């Protein structure tokens, strides 16, 4: 019943979809990680000015579907002179959307480093900059790896939505194969497996990174409050 | 943007209603399935725990759009003809059940074993313990992640527009193509999603505050 | 407000001096008009019920909490504020570091950095602040750990140390910067009773070696034995102060009598 020859015959479409999903996700996630860092840093550096705008941005990301954001960029963009190709709209959409979540993750990491650790450093005359780079960041780094991994996985799964704005990603090409061959299970399951592979790779990578950071400290500090819930 | 809201108020309201009906039914159905599966996941019987684990892995590990397409195209293949809206509810339910099972599993595991031992020593049956001691506490413990899940499902319900369910997203697409004002239309839709989700978050925060301390057992 | 460099003969002798220090948290006044002088080699214990403001006083003396009114001098230098056109403004963090450089501090909850070994906790500031090379810092750090009897734990991370050991590492960390005054903020309050002794022993030795110390504590035995002077605080004010002998045997105020009675009831069973 499961006809694997279909997959072999359509391998080019599948590989093309895989490549598009991978590079768009990669750039989108990179944008999300860095923009999130900028937002969190602004908020940390000058809470009085940036707390409120950044909090609003985070609420927007949490409250609006990614699909709407993609449609705004791809279909709405041209009316304000912003014409993006579908793939670029995908990268920008994933980046803007993920940035809100990452800003929160970074902030949570900063907040969970006990204040006393910083006071102890300040009392020894260690400068605020060194307190940040030597005490705060190393400690928060390992706290934010698990929720960040989680968020990257969510973004990869949500990236399937770019097929709706006509990017030839895994999901779109799988649907094309379904329409060509009238076989449903094979293409969709094959593509599901590929998504799962990407996700597994990210999870493994996150786990390895966490362990590497943990080598500097045998057991993790329990993060305050659970990680945000994963979905996609 | 506000012009769109005013001019197309009835269509948007209808779309929003469909969005809410689909999402909330999926959440409610998924809750029942999720609770049952949480006990399945924690079961000592391998034959029960293992399939539950596999189910959870699949539905949590693949894109929900892919799941929707699979369900939508597969149902007719196996001779089941249902309207797209039911296929949508079915997919969202199966998806959220997996996520909710994990939320409840984690919530249950946070209840001190001593409480359950105390109940067992008092001769209370397993199902009574689950119903009267575990679950009332779990709902309080899991309210924040559960709220997140509801919001996620509400947001994800936007993609059922691809199988032609006329919910909020689909209605916006129709308005956008008629008015040639995609930016304003989608901004209006974004505003509606945002409003619903903000209200949800507020209600949840209120409930959480209310539940701290005195918690009704029934 | 007194001028920074109006150095009188009395002030020259004080390492730490507070004049009329007040501190509010919101509407709550936690310190009211505190005067305090600490001479070289003096050991002062601050006692009082919880919430009396004794920890806040120590934190104000270290400028971990900025005080609202009054002045704190370390080596006759005003800490945390400066005069700018007749108005009092906060100094830079760098200036705060300069002024409080002679002060070392030990916290109730140790606050060792969990991502650094015992030795690295001690050497971090030596390298970052004093600019020592890794080898010099390690040598110096080992000497400090030896002083608190923990040379054999140098490579351990904080979480594999007992509470008493953690606090001793924290003391070594502070001593490494060669402070002339040590502040102890309830150094034994977070410890299991059987671990209190080892920490007090280290502090005893320090005092005997002539270290100037301010110790906020609940350990009356330590205060009676080691302190040159005991200060009793309640509700943000200094109620009574004097030699331990005088204070513990002949408390003048009713509040101190009450405090000591409660303590005796709890400890003589």
């Amino acid at each position: 019943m499961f006809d694997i020859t279909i997959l072999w015959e359509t391998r080019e479409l599948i590989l093309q979809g895989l490549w598009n999903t991978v590079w768009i996700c990669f750039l989108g996630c990179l944008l999300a990680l860095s923009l999130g860092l900028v937002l969190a840093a602004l908020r940390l550096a000058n809470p009085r000015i940036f707390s409120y705008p950044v909090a609003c941005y985070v609420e927007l990301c949490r409250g609006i579907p990614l699909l709407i954001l993609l449609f705004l960029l791809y279909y709405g963009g041209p009316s304000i002179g912003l014409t993006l190709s579908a793939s670029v709209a995908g990268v920008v959409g994933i980046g803007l959307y993920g940035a809100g979540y990452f800003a929160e993750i970074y902030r949570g990491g900063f907040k969970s480093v006990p204040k006393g650790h910083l006071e102890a450093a300040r009392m020894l005359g260690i400068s605020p900059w060194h307190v940040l780079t030597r005490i705060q960041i190393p400690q928060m780094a390992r706290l934010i790896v698990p929720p960040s991994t989680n968020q990257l996985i969510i973004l990869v799964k949500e990236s399937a939505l770019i097929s709706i704005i006509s990017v030839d990603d895994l999901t779109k090409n799988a649907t094309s194969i379904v329409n060509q061959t009238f076989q449903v299970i094979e293409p969709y399951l094959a593509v599901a497996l590929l998504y799962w592979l990407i996700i597994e790779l990210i999870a493994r990578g996150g786990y390895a990174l966490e362990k590497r950071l943990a080598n500097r400290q045998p057991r993790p500090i329990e993060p305050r409050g659970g990680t945000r819930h994963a979905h996609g | 943007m506000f012009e769109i809201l005013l001019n197309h108020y009835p269509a948007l309201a209808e779309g929003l209603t469909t969005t809410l009906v689909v999402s909330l039914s999926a959440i409610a159905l998924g809750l029942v399935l999720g609770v049952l599966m949480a006990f399945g996941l924690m079961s000592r019987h391998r034959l029960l725990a293992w399939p539950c684990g596999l189910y959870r892995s699949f539905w949590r590990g693949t894109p929900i759009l892919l799941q929707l397409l699979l369900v939508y195209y597969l149902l007719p293949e196996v001779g089941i003809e249902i309207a797209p809206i039911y296929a949508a509810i079915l997919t969202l339910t199966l998806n959220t059940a997996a996520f909710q099972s994990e939320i409840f599993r984690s919530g249950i595991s946070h209840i001190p074993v001593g409480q359950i031992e105390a109940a067992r020593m008092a001769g209370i049956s397993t199902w009574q313990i689950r119903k009267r001691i575990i679950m009332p506490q779990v709902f309080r413990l899991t309210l924040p992640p559960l709220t997140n899940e509801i919001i996620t499902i509400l947001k994800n319900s936007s993609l059922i527009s691809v199988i032609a369910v006329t919910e909020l997203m689909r209605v916006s697409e129709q308005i956008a193509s008629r008015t040639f004002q995609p930016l304003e239309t989608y901004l209006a839709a974004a505003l509606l999603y945002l409003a619903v989700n903000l209200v949800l978050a507020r209600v949840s925060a209120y409930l959480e505050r209310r539940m701290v301390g005195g918690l009704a057992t029934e | 407000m007194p001028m920074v460099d109006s150095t009188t003969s009395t002030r020259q002798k004080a390492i730490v001096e507070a004049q009329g220090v007040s501190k509010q948290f919101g509407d709550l006044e936690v310190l009211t008009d505190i005067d305090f002088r600490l001479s070289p080699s003096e050991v002062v214990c601050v006692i009082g019920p919880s919430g009396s403001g004794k920890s806040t006083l120590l934190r104000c003396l270290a400028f971990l909490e900025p005080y609202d009114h009054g002045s704190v001098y370390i080596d006759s230098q005003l800490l945390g504020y400066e005069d700018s056109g007749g108005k009092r403004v906060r100094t830079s963090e760098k200036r705060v570091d300069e002024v409080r450089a002679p002060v070392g501090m030990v916290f109730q909850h140790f606050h060792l950095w969990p991502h650094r070994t015992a030795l690295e906790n001690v050497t971090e500031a030596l390298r970052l602040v004093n600019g020592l090379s890794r080898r010099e810092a390690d040598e110096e750090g080992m000497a400090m750990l030896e002083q608190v009897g923990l040379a054999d734990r140098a490579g351990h991370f904080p979480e594999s140390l007992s509470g008493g050991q953690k606090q001793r590492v924290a003391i070594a960390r502070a001593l490494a910067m060669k402070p002339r005054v040590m502040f102890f903020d309830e150094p034994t309050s977070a410890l299991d009773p059987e671990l209190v002794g080892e920490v007090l022993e280290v502090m005893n030795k320090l005092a005997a070696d002539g270290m100037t110390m301010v110790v906020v504590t609940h350990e009356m035995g330590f205060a009676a034995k080691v302190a040159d002077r005991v200060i009793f605080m309640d509700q943000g004010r200094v109620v009574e102060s004097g030699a331990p002998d005088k204070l513990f045997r002949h408390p003048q105020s009713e509040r101190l009598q009450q405090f000591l009675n409660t303590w005796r009831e709890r400890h003589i069973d």
Side-chain angles (χ1 to χ4, degrees), chain A residues 59-65 71-72 75 79 97 101 157 160-161 163-164 175 185 188 199 228-232, chain B residues 60-61 63-65 69-70 73-74 95 99 148-149 152 155-156 159 162 169 173 182-183 186 194 197-198:
Chain A
E59 281 309 313
L60 285 179
C61 292
R62 279 193 188 150
I64 296 173
F71 271 46
L72 273 172
Y75 298 114
S79 43
Y97 181 75
Y101 287 91
K157 287 191 290 172
L161 297 182
S163 64
I164 303 176
T175 307
I185 298 193
Y188 279 143
I199 286 166
R228 277 201 97 65
H229 181 54
H231 213 301
Chain B
R60 278 164 39 112
I64 188 166
L65 178 59
L69 294 171
L70 193 59
Y73 284 115
L74 200 59
N95 176 281
F99 281 91
N148 266 339
E149 175 62 17
T152 307
K155 285 164 70 180
N156 277 335
L159 57 90
V162 300
M169 187 72 208
E173 283 173 55
L183 191 69
Y186 294 130
L194 188 65
N197 286 330
L198 282 178

Side-chain angles (χ1 to χ4, degrees), chain A residues 168-181:
Chain A
D168 294 327
D169 76 330
L170 271 178
T171 304
K172 173 129 179 294
N173 285 5
T175 307
S176 310
I177 297 169
V178 169
N179 291 334
Q180 277 171 32
T181 62

Side-chain angles (χ1 to χ4, degrees), chain C residues 64-138:
Chain C
L64 287 174
E65 301 286 356
Y67 48 93
D68 300 330
H69 303 287
S71 323
V72 172
Y73 298 92
I74 291 175
D75 274 342
S76 306
Q77 303 205 68
L78 185 61
L79 175 64
Y81 296 102
E82 62 194 355
D83 206 50
S84 168
K87 266 180 75 180
R88 184 158 105 154
V89 293
R90 283 276 285 270
T91 59
S92 67
E93 291 289 306
K94 222 178 136 204
R95 175 69 187 152
V96 171
D97 282 346
E98 276 168 29
V99 175
R100 75 177 169 199
V103 181
M105 184 143 178
V106 173
F107 299 84
Q108 179 180 358
H109 295 288
F110 335 125
H111 295 320
L112 294 184
W113 305 308
H115 59 304
R116 297 271 191 269
T117 62
L119 180 63
E120 286 169 338
N121 262 280
V122 178
T123 57
E124 188 80 5
L126 287 172
R127 297 177 62 190
L128 289 178
V129 182
N130 293 1
L132 296 194
S133 72
R134 192 187 186 116
R135 258 195 41 214
E136 294 167 328
D138 281 357

